[in-house]
Each structure stands twice: as structure tokens, then as C-alpha cells.
Amino acid sequence: MSNGNNRTGERRRVVITGLGVISALGMEPSELWSACQSGRSGVRAVDSSESIRALPFAAPVDAFTGKIEDFGTLSDTIKKVIRKGIKLMSREIQMAVAAAQRTLAHSGAGSDAFCSERVGVSFASDYIITTPDEILEAVRHCIRDGSFDFSQWRNEGLARMTPLWQLKFLPNMPASHICIYNQFRGHCNAMTNREASIGAVLAESLEVIASGRADVMLTGATGSRLLPFKLIHAIQMNDLASPDRVPEEASRPFDQDRSGMVLGEGAGAVLLEELDHAKLRGAKIYGEVTGAAHCMVAQPKSGSILPQGRVREALAKAITRLLERTGVRPEEIGFIDSCGLSSPALDIEEALAIRDALGDQADRLPVTGLKGHLGNPGAGSGAIELVAALCALENNALYPILNNEKDDPNCPIRPVREFGIPSGNQFLKLAFNHFGQASAILMRRYEG
């Protein structure tokens, strides 16, 4: 096994050669970037009916229908197998596969560009849960005297479930489908770290390539917070934006008047490639991976859904460890791409974590983020945001945090409020979830 060093003894360098998104702002990186430039929001009301009007606002991907046309440019062979497999995918898995296939197309890689044994996949998702229509008939046959009778499930309920039902909701299926359809035979793994996912899967992918176990890794994340049971869970967490605001203005990361998160859905992916491998095939390079780290601070049995202080501690540790491992100084960072949930409590924790880890450099560093544009797509959010940040790096122009208008004295950061601030040559991407899992990624401009 290779030790990850090239012939000169240096650690293998890893670059980004492909980008893909399925988002409320478009299904091409260029569409996503155009929305960032123009300040266009992908958020709207969930529904106009009286029965659902009180629910939070959301950012559904109306353009994504799950039909084969949504999966981008495909060879006839892959188009045939994906079309056949669509019925075995939940919506989150469909978006994951579509983002992955669009990433491969965006990379310009032909069918003979890669050695199958040297290509792997690390893909993340939220917890994937069934939809009511999948189980309704089975549940109906277990109702006795107006209540669900568990004793009837084995004989009356289970027999009415579609035999392959479970395959539609397993969180390892995005990675499995992507490997099978593209005949990738390298490292394959799946993670479920919710909003913190992108740093975890990218850190793993980076290490797999750097250690010599692969030359190419396709990595990303997918999520939907809009499906029925997911909506119920989100409402129970009680950290959602007020429905009294205009939908497009409801998600307000770090703004003093923020009231909570906006729910969304989507997927994103990037193609990581060993530098010499990418150069040999003449690939366009969108950035170089400096490093990635992830961390968790366990939540005690306090009964609190929002663990006070633990997000701050985990995120600060992830940033600090990343800087120590890479040797990057805070003054070398050009901007921060935040998680920016628009949560009244957790935006404060993120801002304080930035200051804990970076000290006075927090006064200088511009902080941007995308959730003002597209809400929170769960695990998919970090991957979509990473693509947007790479576009900002390529164009040397930062996009503002949409709806951030008033400084919150409890959030001691420098939010971006106008388009075009120079990006610098390196950025820090942050991601975390409510439960004390956090990740940090450093990306830099490729300069040969």
C-alpha cells in the first residue's frame, strides 16, 4: 500500500476538479453562483392552504422531480441503469445520485478517465425516514377499535409492505448507488452527521487519497427537512423561524432580528483528485484542499435539545485542530463560510467559537453564508455551501449573507453585507449540528 507520498517524499496534494448541486437556487454551479451574485432567495412558503399556513417557511427544490432528466448529462449505459433504479430511491437518495452524476459531468471526465479500482465515494445524509404513503396500507390493516395493534403487524401489516421498501431509506444507499452505477470499486463509506456532514466525509476522502488508497474520491451530502415526518421532528425541536415574516426574509443568519431556522432540502458534491492525476488528464482545478477536521463534544443527559456551550466548544476545537495540523495561521485565511443556521442560540455559539479559535483575527475576517438564500437543507447544506464558496474563490468575490441587516452584539463577527469583497486565497468552511458535532475545512486557490 502506498504511504501517500510521491517520488520526492512529499504528501500527495488533493484538488477539487468537479462541482455539483441540487438546490433551491438551481441545479448547476453557475446557477447557484448567479443567485449569490444577484441576492436571489430560494425560500418561499411551504403551502398556501389554511391547514399548513402556520408551519415554518421552506426552500423546496421545485425543479427537481426525480425524473432521469434531472440527473444531468449521462452516457446511454448509465442513463439506463439509473432510470431503472430510481424507484428504489427516496427523494434524498435521488438528489444525492443526481448531484454526484452532475459533479462527474462537471469535472469533464470521460468514461475512460479513471481506473475503477482507484476511485471511491464517501457520501453523507440526514437520517432518512419513510414517508406516510409507503406504510399507510400496512398500518391500516393493523387498526383495531381505532388504535394501532402491534400484535397484528407481523401477519397483517408487514406482508403488505413492498419487499424492497427498506432499500429506499438506508443512509448508505447514496454511496452504494453512486459506486454501482459508475463501477467505482475503491473506498466506499456513508455517514450521518446532519449539518456537520460535509467536513467529516471530506476529511475521510482527503485521507484516503493522501494515503495512496485512491486517486479520486467523490464526496458530498444530501438532505431534506421538508418530508412529513421530518417536519414533525423539526417542529418538536422548536428552533424554527417565525411564520409572520415574508418568506424570503425569514432566514436571517447572525441578524439581531433572527427568529429561527428555515427548512429546506438539497444535495451537493465535489470531486477530489490527486494533483498529478488531475493534471495528467488536463482537468480544470477549482481549489486545493488544505485540510479538514471534525470533532464532537458529547451532550450530557440534561434533556436539552440545544446543548448550551457544546456547539461552541466542538467548533472551536475543530478549527484549532485544523490550524495546528495544517500549519495555517489565522492571518492567512481570506474569509469564513459559516454554517449560519439563523438559530437565535446557535448563531451566537458559532460566532463565539470563531473568536475562541481565531482571536482578534475575527475582527478582520469577512464571514459569509448561504442559509439566508436557501434555508437549512440538513446534511446537504454544507455541501451546497462548499460549492458556493469555491465559486466565490474562483471569482475572487464574496456574496453577502442574505437578510443580515442588523449587528447582533452577541455575535462578534464581521458579516458580509455587499457583493464583491475580495475572497483572498484561502477560506475556512464551518459546519455543525445541534448535537455538538462540528467540522472545519480549509480550501485554497490552486496556484501550481
Side-chain angles (χ1 to χ4, degrees):
M1 180 182 290
S2 168
N3 63 5
N5 296 340
N6 60 24
R7 286 178 291 182
T8 66
E10 295 177 349
R11 187 173 175 85
R12 304 175 96 205
R13 294 168 66 182
V14 179
V15 294
I16 304 294
T17 58
L19 311 173
V21 292
I22 301 295
S23 81
L25 298 177
M27 296 197 292
E28 293 289 343
S30 58
E31 294 175 340
L32 179 66
W33 179 241
S34 177
C36 291
Q37 286 180 296
S38 64
R40 178 170 62 84
S41 173
V43 178
R44 66 168 177 81
V46 173
D47 194 276
S48 60
S49 66
E50 288 294 335
S51 61
I52 204 169
R53 184 170 293 167
L55 290 178
F57 299 110
V61 186
D62 291 327
F64 186 82
T65 63
K67 295 180 180 178
I68 192 64
E69 293 78 12
D70 297 337
F71 289 74
T73 303
L74 304 169
S75 68
D76 290 342
T77 301
I78 294 181
K79 183 182 291 186
K80 182 177 180 180
V81 295
I82 291 180
R83 180 185 281 120
K84 188 175 181 179
I86 286 175
K87 63 179 178 292
L88 297 178
M89 305 180 203
S90 66
R91 182 168 176 82
E92 295 103 313
I93 297 173
Q94 289 175 357
M95 291 190 294
V97 174
Q101 296 305 142
R102 286 174 172 273
T103 299
L104 290 169
H106 188 259
S107 74
S111 59
D112 58 349
F114 303 139
C115 171
S116 295
E117 284 73 19
R118 303 288 297 168
V119 184
V121 174
S122 183
F123 219 95
S125 68
D126 286 328
Y127 64 103
I128 303 178
I129 191 168
T130 189
T131 53
D133 59 291
E134 295 276 355
I135 60 173
L136 185 60
E137 189 63 20
V139 170
R140 183 180 289 121
H141 280 78
C142 298
I143 300 297
R144 298 291 184 274
D145 298 324
S147 300
F148 183 83
D149 185 348
F150 285 95
S151 67
Q152 301 296 316
W153 177 252
R154 180 177 179 181
N155 295 322
E156 297 296 328
L158 192 59
R160 289 173 172 79
M161 296 297 295
T162 303
L164 298 178
W165 162 77
Q166 195 171 27
L167 290 179
K168 296 179 68 173
F169 304 100
L170 293 175
N172 67 316
M173 292 310 295
S176 298
H177 283 296
I178 294 163
C179 284
I180 291 169
Y181 296 149
N182 296 284
Q183 299 186 46
F184 296 155
R185 301 188 180 96
H187 179 95
C188 181
N189 194 27
M191 298 188 190
T192 53
N193 296 76
R194 295 183 65 160
E195 291 88 352
S197 292
I198 187 59
V201 291
L202 193 138
E204 178 183 52
S205 298
L206 174 62
E207 183 56 35
V208 169
I209 296 176
S211 66
R213 290 178 284 158
D215 297 319
V216 180
M217 287 290 293
L218 198 159
T219 190
T222 183
S224 176
R225 308 296 296 278
L226 301 177
L227 299 174
F229 292 134
K230 294 285 191 72
L231 282 171
I232 293 171
H233 293 169
I235 293 168
Q236 289 173 334
M237 292 184 71
N238 195 30
D239 195 28
L240 301 180
S242 167
D244 297 329
R245 284 194 181 274
V246 175
E248 293 82 359
E249 299 175 359
S251 183
R252 312 180 67 82
F254 304 108
D255 186 81
Q256 187 177 33
D257 293 336
R258 66 190 181 279
S259 59
M261 293 188 303
V262 166
L263 303 178
E265 65 177 2
V270 293
L271 194 69
L272 280 69
E273 197 166 349
E274 191 274 328
L275 177 59
D276 290 339
H277 188 279
K279 290 166 68 175
L280 188 62
R281 71 176 185 89
K284 179 176 178 179
I285 295 174
Y286 296 92
E288 181 172 359
V289 186
T290 309
H294 54 99
C295 176
M296 177 179 180
V297 174
Q299 176 185 348
K301 295 181 179 179
S302 63
S304 172
I305 294 178
L306 304 177
Q308 188 70 29
R310 281 165 176 75
V311 166
R312 176 182 179 178
E313 184 180 352
L315 191 57
K317 282 185 176 180
I319 298 170
T320 301
R321 290 175 183 176
L322 178 57
L323 296 181
E324 289 173 349
R325 292 173 186 173
T326 60
V328 172
R329 301 186 306 274
E331 56 266 31
E332 296 177 277
I333 301 171
F335 74 95
I336 296 173
D337 187 77
S338 68
C339 187
L341 291 174
S342 190
S343 160
L346 297 183
D347 280 7
I348 295 173
E349 297 220 10
E350 181 173 12
L352 293 176
I354 291 171
R355 184 158 292 274
D356 290 345
L358 302 179
D360 291 341
Q361 285 294 317
D363 294 329
R364 174 191 65 85
L365 281 169
V367 176
T368 188
L370 204 58
K371 289 187 177 70
H373 291 77
L374 50 71
N376 179 14
S381 60
I384 299 169
E385 290 158 5
L386 179 60
V387 171
L390 285 163
C391 290
L393 188 69
E394 181 184 17
N395 291 276
N396 192 29
L398 299 184
Y399 50 88
I401 300 177
L402 197 63
N403 302 319
N404 182 282
E405 298 170 350
K406 297 180 182 178
D407 287 335
D408 181 350
N410 296 309
C411 294
I413 58 169
R414 180 189 165 197
V416 176
R417 288 183 176 143
E418 60 183 38
F419 181 83
I421 294 174
S423 68
N425 293 321
Q426 189 162 209
F427 70 85
L428 178 64
K429 170 70 192 119
L430 305 180
F432 65 86
N433 61 34
H434 286 72
F435 309 109
Q437 293 173 308
S439 63
I441 301 167
L442 275 170
M443 291 275 182
R444 65 186 174 212
R445 192 186 311 279
Y446 172 68
E447 297 177 338

